[in-house]
Amino acid sequence: MSKEHQVNEAIRAREVRVIGPDGSQLGIKHIKEALRLAQEHDLDLVNVAPHAKPPVCRIMDYGKYRYEQSKREKEARKRQKIIQVKEIRFSPSIEEHDLQTKLRNVRRFLQSGDKVKLTIRFRGREITHQALGRAILNRMAEEVKDLGEVERQPRLEGRQMIMILTPKQQS
């Protein structure tokens, strides 16, 4: 949780809407009476909705609540997959064996769940042969269509032609 809740004496409102430890509505009560109810149950009074009129406070074990919240956040972080973008560069005059090596790397990156940015850099007069570059990128997309799909079609940006492949979603 990004901001801490107001607990017990830190609550500054005069009257609060109280929710009991079992989730039942106890109604609008004066802050002292709400604190007394929380102490009777040996629990904390926690302001869960400070911007409501009147603020909503719940009687609960705040330490246990924070512990469970941190466990949930940790579990969510564990399930998160960080997607990286791997870049592979070509030249329009690439030889077949070099192309196969790069293709093997593209397949490996897509299998591990990363996006792949394919870049063809045109140097000097090579810029006049954009069709060669587009053909190479389209061939790469065709070769890996079982593992990935084209997120962005080949596009010329300055002296580079860029295409982005993304891994296919397993269903």
Side-chain angles (χ1 to χ4, degrees):
M1 193 127 263
S2 59
K3 68 177 182 67
E4 290 295 312
H5 294 280
Q6 294 176 330
V7 184
N8 296 333
E9 283 77 26
I11 301 171
R12 292 283 163 236
R14 266 189 219 165
E15 288 188 329
V16 292
R17 182 178 304 274
V18 182
I19 299 173
D22 55 353
S24 61
Q25 294 274 344
L26 301 179
I28 297 172
K29 304 225 181 272
H30 195 275
I31 187 67
K32 288 184 178 169
E33 188 179 344
L35 282 168
R36 186 185 53 75
L37 281 170
Q39 285 172 344
E40 282 176 11
H41 287 94
D42 232 7
L43 296 170
D44 300 308
L45 185 69
V46 181
N47 193 347
V48 291
H51 300 297
K53 295 279 186 238
V56 179
C57 293
R58 185 180 201 124
I59 297 174
M60 68 168 104
D61 185 348
Y62 188 59
K64 182 179 174 186
Y65 170 75
R66 279 192 26 216
Y67 171 72
E68 287 172 352
Q69 193 77 17
S70 70
K71 267 178 62 174
R72 272 196 296 273
E73 288 173 0
K74 188 177 177 185
E75 194 64 34
R77 278 195 303 272
K78 201 187 307 182
R79 276 189 251 114
Q80 226 173 25
K81 171 78 172 96
I82 290 111
I83 295 178
Q84 291 182 321
V85 179
K86 305 284 188 170
E87 183 174 9
I88 295 188
R89 290 188 176 155
F90 304 93
S91 96
S93 58
I94 189 168
E95 292 296 322
E96 182 61 29
H97 184 266
D98 297 335
L99 191 70
Q100 291 302 320
T101 304
K102 304 261 187 188
L103 179 64
R104 209 169 30 248
N105 287 335
V106 170
R107 293 183 77 78
R108 188 172 44 120
F109 293 149
L110 288 173
Q111 283 171 341
S112 66
D114 295 324
K115 287 185 178 185
V116 181
K117 178 179 176 183
L118 302 174
T119 305
I120 293 190
R121 180 164 283 153
F122 295 100
R123 296 164 62 186
R125 292 184 183 164
E126 290 176 345
I127 196 77
T128 59
H129 300 291
Q130 293 173 22
L132 284 175
R134 187 162 278 128
I136 291 170
L137 290 177
N138 287 334
R139 177 177 169 201
M140 291 295 274
E142 191 62 32
E143 296 270 349
V144 297
K145 72 177 179 206
D146 58 322
L147 293 173
E149 46 206 28
V150 177
E151 182 180 292
R152 199 171 99 192
Q153 291 295 331
R155 189 178 334 158
L156 194 66
E157 293 179 4
R159 297 189 76 75
Q160 307 185 94
M161 189 174 286
I162 297 171
M163 179 169 83
I164 297 177
L165 299 174
T166 184
K168 275 193 176 168
Q169 302 298 321
Q170 280 76 27
S171 40

